[in-house]
Amino acid sequence: METWSRSRGDKLFDFMNISFFILVLVIIMYPLYFMVIASVSNPELTNLGKVLLFPKGFTLDGYAQIFQEERIWRGYQNTILYTVTGTALSVTLTMTAAYALARK
């Protein structure tokens, strides 16, 4: 069995490629992570810029306030209605088209 060794250039390319994609991953994921930790942190500490990597002054008051709002529940209701209706319509149209295309 012949062994194939990677050249120094291939190893350097792989290192640079992996480093680049890790950097892109961090750039994309940090704002998402920050939104989560900011949502459970004390709003005053967040506004002062003291929340960076970990939540400070843990509180769920923001979530309690949001879920008391009537409009959020109306939005969930609309989302579920549109999803169920759209899926049922799409499956029905796909089945009828598939049946028509399957026959000679």
Side-chain angles (χ1 to χ4, degrees), residues 61-85:
D61 292 341
Y63 287 102
Q65 203 170 17
I66 286 172
F67 289 123
Q68 288 175 355
E69 184 69 36
E70 176 67 28
R71 292 179 295 173
I72 194 82
W73 297 112
R74 174 67 59 183
Y76 280 126
Q77 181 182 359
N78 289 340
T79 299
I80 292 168
L81 176 68
Y82 297 156
T83 302
V84 169
T85 305

Side-chain angles (χ1 to χ4, degrees), residues 26-102:
V26 169
I27 289 170
I28 291 171
M29 292 303 292
Y30 179 73
L32 300 173
Y33 172 72
F34 180 78
M35 291 303 297
V36 172
I37 64 171
S39 72
V40 295
S41 295
N42 183 334
E44 294 168 4
L45 295 174
T46 303
N47 289 337
L48 291 173
K50 299 197 180 219
V51 176
L52 293 175
L53 290 177
F54 301 105
K56 293 187 179 171
F58 184 83
T59 180
L60 295 174
D61 292 341
Y63 287 102
Q65 203 170 17
I66 286 172
F67 289 123
Q68 288 175 355
E69 184 69 36
E70 176 67 28
R71 292 179 295 173
I72 194 82
W73 297 112
R74 174 67 59 183
Y76 280 126
Q77 181 182 359
N78 289 340
T79 299
I80 292 168
L81 176 68
Y82 297 156
T83 302
V84 169
T85 305
T87 302
L89 183 63
S90 177
V91 168
T92 302
L93 291 175
T94 302
M95 284 184 347
T96 55
Y99 180 77
L101 292 172

